C-alpha cells in the first residue's frame, strides 16, 4: 500500500480524476515540490512522505482554500488495513460557510465551548494531582 501511495504522489493523474497534469519541480531529502493542474487552475504543493507514520502530506503553497491534504495508512481495531484521506481548509472558506449557515455556526460554537470546558477541567485535575503527589516538607511548610 505504501508504494501505491508514493506512486500516487508522483503520478496522480492515474488516481485522481480531477488532476489532469503533474510535474515534479524539485526533490528534497524529505519529499518534493510538485505542480498539478486541476481544470483551468495550476497549484503548487510541497509533498512530504513519512513512511514510518504511514502518511503523505500535501501542503498547498498557493493562495487556495486548501491548506493541506493527507493520505494515511493505518489499521482498525481488528487489524484490517485502513486508508484515511483528510483535507484541512484555510480559514477563508470556513468563515464563509459559518457566516452563511446558522446550524454550522452554532455547532462550531458548541465545539469551541466544549474544547474550552474540557481544557479547564483537565487543567484543574492535573493541578490537583500535582498538589497531592508533591513531596511534603517534614517541618510542615
Amino acid at each position: 500500500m505504501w508504494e501505491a501511495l508514493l506512486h500516487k504522489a508522483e503520478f496522480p493523474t492515474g488516481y485522481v480524476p480531477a488532476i489532469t497534469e503533474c510535474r515534479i519541480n524539485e526533490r528534497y531529502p524529505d519529499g518534493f515540490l510538485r505542480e498539478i493542474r486541476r481544470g483551468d487552475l495550476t497549484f503548487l504543493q510541497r509533498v512530504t512522505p513519512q513512511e514510518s507514520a504511514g502518511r503523505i502530506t500535501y501542503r498547498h503553497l498557493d493562495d487556495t482554500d486548501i491548506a493541506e491534504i493527507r493520505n494515511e495508512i493505518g489499521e482498525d481495531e481488528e487489524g484490517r488495513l485502513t486508508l484515511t484521506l483528510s483535507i484541512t481548509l484555510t480559514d477563508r472558506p470556513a468563515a464563509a460557510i459559518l457566516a452563511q449557515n446558522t446550524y454550522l455556526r452554532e455547532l462550531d460554537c458548541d465545539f469551541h465551548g466544549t474544547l474550552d470546558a474540557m481544557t479547564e477541567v483537565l487543567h484543574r485535575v492535573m493541578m490537583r494531582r500535582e498538589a497531592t503527589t508533591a513531596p511534603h516538607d517534614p517541618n510542615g511548610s
Side-chain angles (χ1 to χ4, degrees):
M1 175 79 85
W2 179 251
E3 293 302 318
L5 279 185
L6 284 176
H7 191 264
K8 174 186 168 290
E10 293 192 24
F11 306 98
T13 57
Y15 300 85
V16 184
I19 297 176
T20 57
E21 294 177 35
C22 178
R23 181 177 71 219
I24 295 177
N25 294 342
E26 283 185 67
R27 292 196 180 270
Y28 309 104
D30 67 340
F32 54 91
L33 182 68
R34 77 178 190 178
E35 187 176 299
I36 60 168
R37 186 159 196 69
R38 185 178 187 274
D40 294 335
L41 303 173
T42 301
F43 301 101
L44 200 57
Q45 295 176 321
R46 177 68 161 88
V47 181
T48 309
Q50 297 171 290
E51 185 174 9
S52 61
R55 175 177 54 237
I56 299 181
T57 304
Y58 304 83
R59 286 190 181 78
H60 282 248
L61 303 179
D62 302 304
D63 184 28
T64 69
D65 290 341
I66 299 172
E68 180 177 283
I69 297 171
R70 285 185 176 197
N71 294 188
E72 298 182 67
I73 300 169
E75 285 186 4
D76 67 9
E77 312 79 42
E78 297 171 13
R80 294 177 298 199
L81 200 58
T82 63
L83 175 61
T84 303
L85 307 177
S86 61
I87 185 169
T88 302
L89 299 176
T90 63
D91 290 338
R92 185 177 48 230
I97 289 168
L98 292 175
Q100 296 171 13
N101 188 307
T102 304
Y103 171 74
L104 290 178
R105 188 170 49 250
E106 290 171 358
L107 189 61
D108 185 59
C109 287
D110 289 347
F111 275 104
H112 281 280
T114 299
L115 182 58
D116 290 343
M118 286 174 57
T119 302
E120 175 63 28
V121 170
L122 291 171
H123 183 263
R124 280 197 314 258
V125 168
M126 292 305 295
M127 295 303 287
R128 257 187 265 143
R129 182 173 290 151
E130 287 176 12
T132 59
T133 59
H136 294 288
D137 184 347
N139 297 326
S141 52

